[in-house]
Amino acid sequence: MTTILLIDNYFVEVDTYNHTLKKKYMGEDKKTGEKKEMEKIIGFYRNLQEVLESLVRCIPLDETDGRIICMREYAESAERAFKRVEEWRNENVRENNR
């Protein structure tokens, strides 16, 4: 299995069957009540392009954190997310093509 670090604590685990998008976050251990780093599965995808498309949808939801917002604020957040993911993609594609 290969792990690819993305942005904002998101990462993808790649194996022979799929690409699993996950996010690291600080959670609470159910037994001890202590804070610890945990992982949440976001979804399973066929390829990295599908992972990045999902990531673009996840970032604005993280930014708005369940608040009620206007359409303009959501659109601006979605545009920022798209640009960040596109920049990440361009940087990493360039690195891999060297």
Side-chain angles (χ1 to χ4, degrees):
M1 181 178 337
T2 300
T3 301
I4 303 168
L5 301 177
L6 301 172
I7 55 178
D8 291 351
N9 294 318
Y10 285 94
F11 62 101
V12 60
E13 292 180 342
V14 181
D15 61 29
T16 54
Y17 300 107
N18 62 48
H19 293 62
T20 306
L21 178 60
K22 295 182 175 183
K23 182 175 184 180
K24 290 186 181 185
Y25 67 98
M26 289 306 292
E28 190 174 291
D29 187 292
K30 291 181 181 179
K31 293 180 183 177
T32 65
E34 294 179 19
K35 292 266 188 190
K36 71 176 195 175
E37 187 173 79
M38 303 178 95
E39 297 177 356
K40 174 182 178 182
I41 295 175
I42 306 301
F44 302 94
Y45 305 92
R46 292 179 293 185
N47 55 50
L48 189 57
Q49 181 61 36
E50 288 181 1
V51 168
L52 296 178
E53 289 170 6
S54 180
L55 181 59
V56 166
R57 290 189 299 274
C58 290
I59 292 171
L61 297 175
D62 291 345
E63 286 182 4
T64 57
D65 196 30
R67 294 181 288 124
I68 297 174
I69 60 171
C70 67
M71 183 60 119
R72 176 187 288 171
E73 187 177 352
Y74 180 77
E76 290 169 353
S77 180
E79 182 65 25
R80 282 191 306 275
F82 177 79
K83 286 178 181 176
R84 290 181 65 207
V85 170
E86 188 66 20
E87 287 171 5
W88 178 91
R89 184 173 171 250
N90 289 338
E91 287 174 11
N92 286 281
V93 168
R94 252 187 262 122
E95 276 183 23
N96 291 333
N97 287 333
R98 288 183 187 169

